[in-house]
Each structure stands twice: as C-alpha cells, then as structure tokens.
Amino acid sequence: MKFSEHWLRTFVDPPLDSAALAHALTMSGLDVEERSAAAPPFTDVVVARVTAVERHPNADRLTVCRVDAGRDLTLSIVCGAPNVAAGVLAPCALVGAQLPGGITVRKTAMRGVESQGMLCSAAELGLSDDTSGLLLLDGDLPTGMDLRKALDLDDALFTLKLTPNRADCLCLVGIAREVGAITRSPVKQAPKAEISDAAKKSRHVRVEDPLACPRFCGRVIEGIDARAPTPAWMKRRLDRSGIRPISAVVDVTNYVMLELGQPLHAYDDALLEGDIVVRFPRNGETLTLLNGQSLELDPSLLLVADERRPLGLAGIMGGEHSAINDTTRNVFLEGAFWNPAVIQGKARRLGFATDAGFRFERGVDFANAAASVDRATQLVIELCGGRAGALVDVCGELPRRDAVRVRVPRIARILGLAIAANEIGEIFTRLGFEYEREGDAFMVTPPSYRFDLAIEEDFIEEVARLHGYENIPAKSALHAQSMLPQPEASRSIATLRRRLVDRDYQEVVTFSFVNSVWERTLQVAAHPIKVLNPLASDLDVMRSTLIGGLIDTLRTNVNRKAERVRIFEAGRCFFRDKGRYLQPLRIGGLAFGSADPVQWNGGKRRIDIFDVKADIAALAAPLPVTTQASPHPALHPGRSARIMIAGKPAGWLGELHPRLVREFDLPAAPVLFELDQDSFTEIGLPSARPVSKLPVVRRDLAVVVDDSVPAQAILDALVAVMPPHVEHIDLFDVYRGAGIDPGKKSLAILVLIQDTARTLTDAEIDATVAVLLRELENRFKATLRQ
C-alpha cells in the first residue's frame, strides 16, 4: 500500500515527523517498506506564466519567451520546448536555482540572446521521465509561487508491506485509524456525503447467489460531462499512490477506493439492458475485459451482468462493452461486498492482478458500501455535474460479528506481562472496538472492517501491538535441560540427508505447489489436489511427486551450462484417497551427466541406473535393497524398477521417459529415484554375534536357468533355505553365449561357509551345497553348468 503522508495527515496529524511516524507504524506491525520524497531537492523554482513568444533570430528550434515570474519579475528566457506558448504556466528556475543532478542555473547567452533563467520539464525537476516538453501547470496557480508549495512536493511517500490479514489498512481511513490508535491522536472522519435524489431514474438489482454477494449497492447518476478534467489535487494523490489518472469518473472510483477502502465500478448506463444481475456464468458465455483479454467464462467466476450479457467479473475487472467513454452521459455506480472465498485466486488464475481483486479477496468493510457509493456520487457531481438517483441497496446475510471473550489472566499468560485491565480497555477504545466488562474479562465485538479478529489470541495480539512490542521485557527463561533419547531402531531424515550429501548429491528445496501441466505430463496422479488461492497461476496444484521440481531444477542448471547435476529433495507429496488427504514423506533424487566428476584420466562415462542403485544401497544400509523390473508412467519403459526393502515396495528408480525428455527439452535422460522415507528410517535394533576364528570356506556355484528367471529370485530362494553356518550368498557373474543353450543363462553364485565353534568337515560342506542346489533344481529346474 503506497500513500502520501500529507494526504494521511488530513485525517490524522500526530506530533511526529516522517521518520518517527514510519518507526511507529513499523513497531505496531505495519511494516514501512519504503519512505521516499515526492520530489528530489531543488530551490528557487517558481510558477511562471509565458506572456509572449518570439522566434529566436539565430536558431530555428529555439524560442525567446517573455516570462512573468511574479514578484514584479519579467524575464527573457530562451526555450527549446515544443509545447511552449503564450499564456501557459510552467516551472521557471530563477538565476541561482539549484536543480537535481547538481545543476546551477546561471544567466547565459544562447546564440547571441541572453537567457535569464530556465523553463523546466518534469524530467529536469526529477518529477518524471517525461522529456517531451515543459511541465504545464494548472492555470489557477498564482505566478511567483514556490513550485514545491504549489505542487506539494515536500510530501513523503510511504509504502507499507502489509500482511494478508490487514486488509483494513489498504486505505487512508484505515491507516489513519491505526495511526490515531498508536499515537493517541484525534482522527477526522471521512467526509460524509449529503446526496439529494434529484434524478428519478434507478436500476433494479437482482442477486441470484446471496452467499457470493451479501451486499450490492448501486446508483444511477444522470447528465454528467465525462470529458470534465480531473482536478490536479486528485491526480496528484492518485499518482503518488501508484495509480495512473485516466478520466474524471474512473479517477473518482479509484480515489474512493484509496480513501475508504471500497473498490467501486462505473458502468455506462446507456449500454445496460434491464436489471443488474449478480450470477455465475451460463454455458458458452464469453466476456472481453477492460484490459482487452477475451475469456471463455469458467463456471466458478462470479459475474455482474444485465438481462442480456455479462458486464464484468465481480470484484476483479469490468467488461469492455459497458466501459465509461467521452460520450457517456449517465453512469451506474456499483459498490458491493463480495464473499472473499469467491474472489480468492481468480485473478491470478487468469494471469493478471487488480487493485479491486487484491482488496476483495482479503475482505472489505461490508458496512461501508453505501457510504462509499455516496462519497463517489458526491465527487462525480462536483467534477462532472449531473443528478443522482436513489440508492439501491440489496442486502443479504452479512458476516456475523460475534463477541469474543478476552480474559485478562490469559493476556498475562500469553504475553508474559501483566497489563492492567483499565489499560486493556483503553487500548480497545483507541482501536474502536466495542466491548463490555464481565469481571476479569472483556466481551469484545470486532468491527466490520477487521476480518482478522475471530479468536481470543487475535485480540491479545492487538493488546500487545498497542502496548508496544518494545515495552514487553525480554526475560531469560530457566529451562531444565536433559539429553533426548536416541532410538537405535530408527534414524532421522537428517542422517539420510547426510548420506546423500556424502554420495555427492546437493539438496534442493522446491515448492509444494506445482504447475498442473507438470502433473498431467508426469501422469503420476490422475486428479491432483487443487490450491484454492494459489501464489501464482502456474502453481495451482499440490505436488503428487518430487520428480517435477527436480526436473525443473535440472532444466535451470542445464540452461546455465551445467554438465553434471546430482540433486535430491526430502519433502511431502499430497494425494486424495477415498475422501482423505495423504501427505507421505518422500526422498527424491536426480543424477545427470557423467558418473564421476572431471578427473585427471579424462574419462566421461555417462551415469546409468546401476550407479544410482548403488547410491540407494548406500543410503539404505544396513537394510538390504533389491530391485524389481516394473513400469512407471514417468520412467523409461525398459529402464525402470521398483525399489524393494525386505520384500516390500519402497520407491522407484529409472531413467526419465523419452517422451518427457523431449517435453522438458533436456539434452539427455537423467536417472531419477523417489523413495518412501518411512521405509528407510526404520532399521531395527542392532544385534551382536561372535566373530569366528576359523577359516571361511568358499564355494562357487555356476547354474543354468531360463533367461526369464530373475537373478534376484534365485538369491531370495537360496537365502530362504540356507543353513545357519552359511555366512553370505551373492551373485558375481551372468553369462550368455557359447556353451549355453539359447533362452538360457548361467549365473555364478558365491557361497561363503563358516562356523563359529568348529571347523566344518568336507561332508558337511558338500551337504550344505547340496541343500542349495536341490532348492534351485526343484524351484527353477536349474542345472549345474558343465
């Protein structure tokens, strides 16, 4: 929220300078993000009238001007501005004037003609970037008047960084209320408009959904002059609030929004047909907005319409068809209260933002709609003439303002500070809250403009703000410290993070809100959870996988010429399952480029799925990791696998699908994994066993099986039947080729046999090997390779 300090001081004028006022606002929770001067410093610049102009005798593009600078000063000034003419008022820098940029104006000769000053453009005074000509001034200003006073240039501009709950401070009246409460200064109320219903014309309003629009106020104003100029004081206040002046009627609606906080909209009444109707769109309806954007209307977009067509998006932007123009004679003014839930996120979803939508989605004062329409009516009639019709006020069920019990002992417990009940009551009075005392409690009713006050803690925060955060003493608390238990059967996510970092991965943190286009492209969740009020139009759903954020991070790095990327993220994903919302914790990773960093031997082997499988095995240790070939919609059909831990699914591993490599415009396919955190954190209690002092016996088994039999199935079968003195079983070779029948493969399996108490005999060793071979023969029809 940007505003002029001088405008604020017309409502409340505390005995504080600009810096102290900014500090007071910040300390009360209204963060002053920036405080700047309305104009850079300059001196001896006055309002002057050009009385006569002559062509320069020695230059085609210069003009010799006779200038009345007031104070009985008539000057001869050489000027090159194309818009200089007799009778105009413009800034005149007198001899000796100091201008922005360190320029000093001196008496000088230009092409043989003496110039006794300088007529200035806005750019030369640092007021804007306009260098097209002189800054033309309002013709009512007296000549000789100091320009800083004439244009109120000693003003200061404040920019507040408001939190979303303080929509009441998105207007000058709201900020003035706060300043008055903070500084105990009297606050002038906004001017109350006295409107006489001179015109008989009115327009009926029909609200089809009272929950979406609890209140709608409107009025017809007849016989206006739409070409009437906006006065300089109003333009100045609008401009210093960051709003560009457009025309008198539009400027009035913007001015009232800044002054009272109620966004308004003006329609050309001659272009309206029948009643005003507040409704949701019908099938096939379209609307062209004031910004030129054509929309096929979504069923969730609330409309203001007439009997024939939509007129605008309620609370966001009006339509082009009914806009005010220079020929407008009759105006219909709208001031409504829209349910914030109906407005939230709609503008961002459409790809733009408006001042009205920004306010309505946070909540405006529903009790102020009629007064705002009256105030705008008064200003339109003052500036453009015309006659006002009767006010139409359609009012449904407005938000309830239930009293909240605020207990004095509760305030002391929350703040750690005892504040007297009388002081608490005085704070509520300064804030304009109505209350009743009930013993050591207050029954406080929140005002209509404070949507952020609903529970006891909200009012306790108000007490803390007005008492002064800096007045709450900082006390060192005494804490009894004790060691936290370190469970041996589980490990923390921090441990898993460290293991991945040790494997040369870097952690990234991406948004939980993602683009719905990503979700549809990755095909992980058919119906991702939509965000009701997204931060941006492209962050409209909750992620169902970490893969999208990892790929986007990879793409950012590849675009910056990174050749090797290894990243991971630990976070939640979000699903809807049978009416419930699930938020599992996941660990996702991505590896791209070469398997190893650049090194002296110059080798650049591309990373593959087995490299990343080794990283997952290191992450899971001591848990055993196995893989099972299985398709995944985001992974390569022949290079994807399900990660298994203790025979249970624990995640996915594979190369990115070729379709997605093209979709995300990547130079090559990265290897990705996504794991369930819970499967990796529970490791079981460690158990001790004796270390054998006896020699280990090694046996290598070469068995021939069908090519379709997974090697992991062979190992699992052997582990299931291995005798107690078998220490280890592992696969160390797979062979297909000469000597092996087509459709078969040879698996070389390592078997380590060792007992902790005695040396095994040859017969015992042979019997052990026979048990293992018999299992393979019975289950897989395996044969020993000859």
Side-chain angles (χ1 to χ4, degrees), residues 256-268:
V256 173
M257 177 184 71
L258 292 172
E259 183 181 64
L260 301 180
Q262 171 68 54
L264 304 171
H265 189 70
Y267 302 88
D268 188 331

Side-chain angles (χ1 to χ4, degrees), residues 661-680:
V661 174
R662 295 189 298 271
E663 184 80 24
F664 288 103
D665 194 23
L666 298 174
V671 180
L672 296 142
F673 64 86
E674 188 168 33
L675 312 170
D676 294 321
Q677 282 189 29
D678 291 345
S679 300
F680 287 75

Side-chain angles (χ1 to χ4, degrees), residues 37 39-43 98-101 125 148 154:
F42 56 79
T43 61
Q98 299 291 325
L99 300 185
L125 297 174
R148 300 195 71 87
D154 291 321

Side-chain angles (χ1 to χ4, degrees), residues 163-170 177 211 214-215 261-263 336-341 344 359-369 397-402 404 433 445-455 458-459 461-462:
T163 50
N165 62 315
R166 293 309 306 269
D168 61 300
C169 290
L170 288 170
R177 278 194 299 258
L211 292 179
R215 188 174 190 183
Q262 171 68 54
F337 171 70
W338 311 105
N339 189 328
Q344 285 170 354
R359 286 162 170 79
F360 279 126
E361 67 183 5
R362 287 159 173 76
V364 302
D365 183 1
F366 56 82
N368 197 35
E397 184 177 350
L398 297 173
R400 295 176 56 180
R401 303 278 82 189
D402 296 329
V404 177
F433 298 168
T445 303
S448 58
Y449 49 83
R450 291 295 299 271
F451 283 84
D452 58 317
L453 302 178
I455 60 176
D458 295 332
F459 290 92
E461 180 186 4
E462 295 300 296

Side-chain angles (χ1 to χ4, degrees), residues 576-658:
R576 187 187 289 109
D577 180 46
K578 298 178 181 178
R580 297 182 304 131
Y581 290 99
L582 305 180
Q583 305 178 48
L585 288 165
R586 300 275 181 82
I587 301 175
L590 178 150
F592 172 84
S594 60
D596 301 303
V598 176
Q599 49 191 310
W600 62 270
N601 66 5
K604 279 193 175 182
R605 179 179 64 82
R606 291 200 66 81
I607 198 159
D608 60 33
I609 193 172
F610 299 104
D611 294 312
V612 178
K613 181 181 176 182
D615 295 330
I616 296 173
L619 176 67
L623 300 173
V625 172
T626 60
T627 54
Q628 186 180 82
S630 183
H632 184 283
L635 301 178
H636 193 294
R639 299 173 189 172
S640 65
R642 187 181 286 277
I643 302 294
M644 310 291 289
I645 291 183
K648 296 181 180 178
W652 291 92
L653 165 67
E655 278 190 12
L656 186 65
H657 198 291

Side-chain angles (χ1 to χ4, degrees), residues 333-480:
L333 275 180
E334 165 211 303
F337 171 70
W338 311 105
N339 189 328
V342 177
I343 307 299
Q344 285 170 354
K346 300 298 190 300
R348 281 190 292 277
R349 197 175 74 200
L350 297 172
F352 59 83
T354 64
D355 290 315
F358 186 80
R359 286 162 170 79
F360 279 126
E361 67 183 5
R362 287 159 173 76
V364 302
D365 183 1
F366 56 82
N368 197 35
S372 298
V373 172
D374 285 346
R375 173 66 168 151
T377 302
Q378 177 193 39
L379 290 172
V380 168
I381 293 174
E382 287 178 3
L383 302 184
C384 306
R387 302 175 306 281
L391 179 72
V392 178
D393 189 353
V394 179
C395 196
E397 184 177 350
L398 297 173
R400 295 176 56 180
R401 303 278 82 189
D402 296 329
V404 177
R405 180 180 296 276
V406 183
R407 295 161 291 174
V408 175
R410 174 73 171 168
I411 294 175
R413 190 159 72 86
I414 293 292
L415 300 184
L417 174 71
I419 300 178
N422 289 340
E423 183 181 349
I424 294 170
E426 191 253 346
I427 287 173
F428 289 153
T429 300
R430 283 155 52 193
L431 287 167
F433 298 168
E434 295 181 1
Y435 67 88
E436 294 180 2
R437 287 290 301 272
E438 292 185 358
D440 63 350
F442 293 81
M443 294 299 295
V444 190
T445 303
S448 58
Y449 49 83
R450 291 295 299 271
F451 283 84
D452 58 317
L453 302 178
I455 60 176
E456 185 177 21
E457 284 72 16
D458 295 332
F459 290 92
I460 294 174
E461 180 186 4
E462 295 300 296
V463 172
R465 286 195 317 110
L466 270 292
H467 179 76
Y469 292 127
E470 68 276 21
N471 296 324
I472 299 177
K475 296 179 180 178
S476 299
L478 296 176
H479 294 284

